[in-house]
């Protein structure tokens, strides 16, 4: 079994990933809806900006976030809060760098919706919120959940951004990927491989769950 | 705690995942990577005597921690591998006045993989089988600076006459080790020093930079078979079993006088207790065991 500090860092990673993916769900669903169904000027630029964390080197994103969240940063000027090297900063960063993963999955789920169903509901005079509850949600929830799971898994595994924004304070900002990195630096390869294997299986399990949900979403659609 | 902090906190507790920082009496230490083993032992000895206090250690390069501390990193104590960083923190008002104190002087070694069958010393680095040499990054790691000066001392690196660092009044080639603006040497050692003596007679040769001295040790152990490391790491079994080392004389490299300091507003009783323990005979004996030179010796 890995040592206690591993579980502490894993717990922190899980909490950060959980909070970040819940925020992403609240934030990403309306955003994905907007991107899937609405046309507006500057849409492709907006999409590009949301997808940026996918291709940006994590250190670049982390560097900007550090400047933004640090004691001299804009965030401090706007809100009076300095979030660098804190739990809140880790969550903030995680929301940003996992946004493309959630957003892409959500949008796919919405685009796969049969538009005729929405049209029919509208012509029958069903109010939009009822259409959401009765038609949209039952069809897209596997997609939404799988996107949230992906964002969760991605946050769990991120290294470069959280190293820049969170540093490595055990029990406070040391996420599990950084814990493993620190073990390797301390030449404790045996402990590192124990910790790494737990993470490997956890990530695999999450991915299997996400894929199963996606498949379920497709199966559901073909039967309706 | 901030308002949003509370929200996240409540959420975390609600989910039964209460973070570890809820525990009372913790001392958060950020320390130079050469203390990886020694300070861990010191902390263990301290915790044995003070079971109600937990010492949480983070290791990395002194320069990186200095930057992070100026960017809002929260820690109680900072152990640097070179005293310039604690001095700067003091000047910038980020340290508790009057708490900066030396705890040890670091020693350098040339470490070689045992399988090379070489007698470890500076000359051995010229062996054609050594095509990579791991050193810490001198830009932010004091041990990297010491490594460069050590190589220079033994004629394995020569300053380039044409090396230029903008904004210097003296030519780079005439600077003393203490005057070299290490943080500005971001173009890499080869831009300022000629590595011909190390490269001669080899198909290729390169310096490989570790982020800090622990990572440098890891590089030496797993990839380069040779490195300039801290004695405090080289004596540990994970390096002494697979390798052999040569201890460099103190005057052959930049002095690694190491200071520690309490950070601003962190003079709590438990912090002071650990701060004091580091200077105790028991802690000094541990530092000595890892090859550190002690203040007043």
């Amino acid at each position: 079994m890995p040592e206690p500090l591993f579980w502490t860092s894993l717990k922190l990673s899980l909490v950060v990933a959980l909070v970040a993916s819940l925020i992403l769900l609240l934030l990403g669903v309306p955003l994905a809806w907007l991107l899937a169904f609405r046309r507006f000027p500057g849409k492709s630029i907006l999409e590009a900006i949301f997808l940026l964390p996918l291709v940006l080197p994590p250190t670049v994103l982390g560097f900007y976030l550090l400047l933004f969240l640090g004691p001299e940063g804009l965030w401090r000027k706007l809100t009076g809060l300095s979030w660098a090297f804190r739990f809140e900063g880790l969550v903030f960063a995680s929301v940003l760098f996992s946004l493309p993963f959630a957003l892409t999955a959500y949008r796919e789920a919405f685009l796969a919706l049969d538009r005729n169903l929405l049209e029919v509901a509208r012509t029958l005079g069903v109010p939009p919120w009822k259409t959401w509850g009765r038609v949209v949600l039952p069809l897209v929830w596997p997609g939404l959940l799988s996107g949230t799971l992906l964002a969760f898994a991605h946050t769990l595994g991120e290294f470069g951004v959280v190293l820049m924004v969170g540093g490595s304070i055990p029990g406070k900002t040391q996420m599990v990927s950084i814990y493993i990195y620190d073990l390797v630096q301390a030449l404790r390869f045996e402990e590192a491989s124990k910790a790494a294997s737990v993470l490997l299986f956890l990530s695999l399990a999450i991915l299997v769950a996400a894929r199963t949900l996606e498949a379920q979403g497709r199966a559901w659609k073909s039967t309706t | 705690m901030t308002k949003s902090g509370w929200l996240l906190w409540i959420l975390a507790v609600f989910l039964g995942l209460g973070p570890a920082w809820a525990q009372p009496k913790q001392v958060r230490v950020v320390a130079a990577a050469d203390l990886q083993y020694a300070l861990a032992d010191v902390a263990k000895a301290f915790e044995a005597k003070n079971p109600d206090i937990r010492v949480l250690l983070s290791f990395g390069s002194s320069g990186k921690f200095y930057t992070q501390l100026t960017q809002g990193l929260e820690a109680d104590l900072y152990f640097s591998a070179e005293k310039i960083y604690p001095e700067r923190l003091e000047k910038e008002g980020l340290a508790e006045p009057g708490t900066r104190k030396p705890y040890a002087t670091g020693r350098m070694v040339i470490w070689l993989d045992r399988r090379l069958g070489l007698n470890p010393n500076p000359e051995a680095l010229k062996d054609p089988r050594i095509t990579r040499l791991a050193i810490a990054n001198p830009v932010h790691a004091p041990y990297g600076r010491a490594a460069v000066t050590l190589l220079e001392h033994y004629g394995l690196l020569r300053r380039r006459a044409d090396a230029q660092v903008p904004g210097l009044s003296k030519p780079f080639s005439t600077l003393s080790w203490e005057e070299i603006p290490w943080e500005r040497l971001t173009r890499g050692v080869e831009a300022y020093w000629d590595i011909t003596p190390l490269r001669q007679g080899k198909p290729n040769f390169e310096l490989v930079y570790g982020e800090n001295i622990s990572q440098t040790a890891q590089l030496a152990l797993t990839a380069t078979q040779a490195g300039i490391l801290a004695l405090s790491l080289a004596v540990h079994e994970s390096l002494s079993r697979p390798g052999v080392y040569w201890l460099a004389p103190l005057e052959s490299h930049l002095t690694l006088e190491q200071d520690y300091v309490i950070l601003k507003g962190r003079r709590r009783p438990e912090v002071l207790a650990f701060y004091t323990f580091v200077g105790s005979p028991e802690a000094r004996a541990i530092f000595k065991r890892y090859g550190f030179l002690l203040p007043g010796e």
Side-chain angles (χ1 to χ4, degrees):
Chain A
M1 282 299 266
E3 60 175 32
L5 198 54
F6 167 74
W7 300 108
T8 310
S9 64
L10 182 64
K11 215 154 70 174
L12 174 68
S13 281
L14 289 171
V15 177
V16 169
L18 189 73
V19 176
S21 33
L22 287 178
I23 294 173
L24 275 173
L25 191 64
L26 295 176
L27 209 77
V29 166
L31 211 56
W33 183 267
L34 205 69
L35 293 177
F37 297 128
R38 295 286 148 85
R39 284 171 197 283
F40 49 89
K43 183 178 164 183
S44 38
I45 292 175
L46 195 69
E47 277 177 315
I49 290 172
F50 291 142
L51 292 181
L52 208 51
L54 216 52
V55 289
L56 213 56
T59 42
V60 173
L61 183 61
F63 170 66
Y64 281 121
L65 278 170
L66 190 57
L67 291 184
F68 179 67
L69 297 173
E72 311 290 328
L74 189 62
W75 187 246
R76 177 93 185 258
K77 291 196 179 92
L78 292 174
T79 63
L81 305 168
S82 180
W83 276 0
F85 308 109
R86 297 179 65 105
F87 177 76
E88 293 91 329
L90 285 175
V91 171
F92 189 98
S94 303
V95 167
L96 265 187
F97 69 67
S98 292
L99 183 67
F101 288 83
L103 212 53
T104 312
Y106 297 166
R107 194 179 52 179
E108 288 307 308
F110 288 140
L111 285 175
L113 264 182
D114 187 351
R115 300 285 287 272
N116 288 328
L117 289 175
L118 303 181
E119 293 297 320
V120 169
R122 204 170 58 196
T123 48
L124 287 176
V126 182
W129 61 269
K130 244 185 185 167
T131 313
W132 246 93
R134 296 229 178 126
V135 181
V136 179
L137 218 49
L139 287 175
V140 298
W141 75 263
L144 298 190
L145 197 55
S146 113
T148 308
L149 272 176
L150 267 185
F152 181 86
H154 184 239
T155 306
L156 209 57
E158 223 297 321
F159 176 78
V161 177
V162 294
L163 184 68
M164 294 287 263
V165 177
S168 173
I169 300 294
K172 199 175 175 196
T173 63
Q174 187 186 56
M175 287 177 67
V176 70
S177 55
I178 291 164
Y179 167 79
I180 292 171
Y181 178 70
D182 287 349
L183 281 180
V184 175
Q185 289 206 11
L187 309 178
R188 297 177 56 197
F189 298 145
E190 210 173 297
E191 183 68 25
S193 85
K194 270 189 228 162
S197 64
V198 173
L199 219 60
L200 176 68
F201 284 112
L202 194 60
S203 306
L204 195 64
I206 295 172
L207 282 179
V208 168
R211 296 296 297 167
T212 312
L213 278 167
E214 269 171 49
Q216 194 176 353
R218 272 195 296 276
W220 188 296
K221 217 165 56 219
S222 57
T223 55
T224 47
Chain B
M1 198 182 281
T2 59
K3 205 184 268 178
S4 54
W6 275 116
L7 272 174
L8 297 171
W9 169 259
I10 290 164
L11 186 64
V13 171
F14 177 73
L15 292 160
L17 295 160
W21 66 92
Q23 292 163 9
K25 289 216 186 174
Q26 294 187 338
V27 181
R28 294 184 184 285
V29 178
V30 291
D34 67 325
L35 291 170
Q36 185 92 48
Y37 304 119
L39 200 60
D41 281 4
V42 170
K44 223 180 278 166
F46 173 78
E47 285 176 344
K49 287 193 164 166
N50 303 271
D52 56 330
I53 305 176
R54 280 251 298 147
V55 181
L56 296 167
L57 303 165
S58 295
F59 298 101
S61 84
S62 303
K64 183 193 75 180
F65 280 135
Y66 165 77
T67 312
Q68 291 190 342
L69 287 166
T70 63
Q71 290 296 311
L73 178 71
E74 290 176 23
D76 298 319
L77 284 164
Y78 171 51
F79 288 71
S80 173
E82 202 181 5
K83 62 178 181 178
I84 53 159
Y85 294 117
E87 270 170 11
R88 264 190 234 171
L89 285 177
E90 215 171 38
K91 251 182 239 152
E92 288 156 8
L94 292 169
E96 281 288 312
T99 60
R100 183 170 61 83
K101 218 162 73 170
Y103 61 89
T105 297
R107 304 294 310 267
M108 297 293 294
V109 301
I110 293 177
W111 181 93
L112 299 173
D113 193 312
R114 206 177 272 280
R115 287 170 297 182
L116 290 169
L118 287 168
N119 226 347
N121 58 53
E123 278 302 301
L125 294 178
K126 292 181 175 169
D127 188 280
R129 284 171 297 167
I130 296 177
T131 55
R132 288 192 182 124
L133 177 65
I135 67 170
N137 191 338
V139 172
H140 53 80
Y143 273 97
R145 298 169 189 180
V148 171
T149 56
L150 174 72
L151 290 170
E152 189 181 79
H153 180 82
Y154 288 104
L156 297 166
L157 291 181
R158 289 192 214 108
R159 292 225 205 154
R160 291 182 187 279
D162 58 342
Q164 296 259 333
V165 183
L168 286 185
S169 51
K170 281 202 251 176
F172 181 75
S173 55
T174 65
L175 295 178
S176 72
W177 291 341
E178 286 76 18
E179 288 172 320
I180 295 176
W182 297 98
E183 274 146 10
R184 281 151 66 189
L185 304 189
T186 47
R187 284 162 61 211
V189 170
E190 290 93 331
Y192 309 93
W193 280 271
D194 177 13
I195 62 168
T196 308
L198 282 168
R199 188 185 273 147
Q200 244 159 20
K202 299 180 183 179
N204 53 57
F205 176 83
E206 57 191 347
L207 291 169
V208 180
Y209 302 103
E211 197 269 329
N212 58 58
I213 197 63
S214 300
Q215 205 213 349
T216 311
Q218 178 225 320
L219 288 173
L221 185 61
T222 58
T224 66
Q225 295 194 297
I228 303 192
L229 309 178
L231 175 64
S232 58
L233 301 179
V235 295
H236 192 264
E237 53 166 2
S238 51
L239 284 161
S240 64
R241 215 179 309 138
V244 286
Y245 62 82
W246 173 82
L247 179 63
L250 271 175
E251 63 281 1
S252 67
H253 58 79
L254 189 73
T255 310
L256 293 163
E257 193 188 307
Q258 315 198 340
D259 281 8
Y260 72 129
V261 71
I262 300 183
L263 293 153
K264 190 78 197 167
R266 306 247 159 199
R267 205 196 271 258
R268 301 190 309 279
E270 61 269 28
V271 175
L272 268 175
F274 186 62
Y275 175 82
T276 313
F277 184 77
V278 168
S280 72
E282 193 179 349
R284 283 170 68 99
I286 294 172
F287 283 125
K288 208 176 170 105
R289 206 166 67 224
Y290 283 95
F292 285 105
L293 223 65
L294 297 173
E297 273 190 5

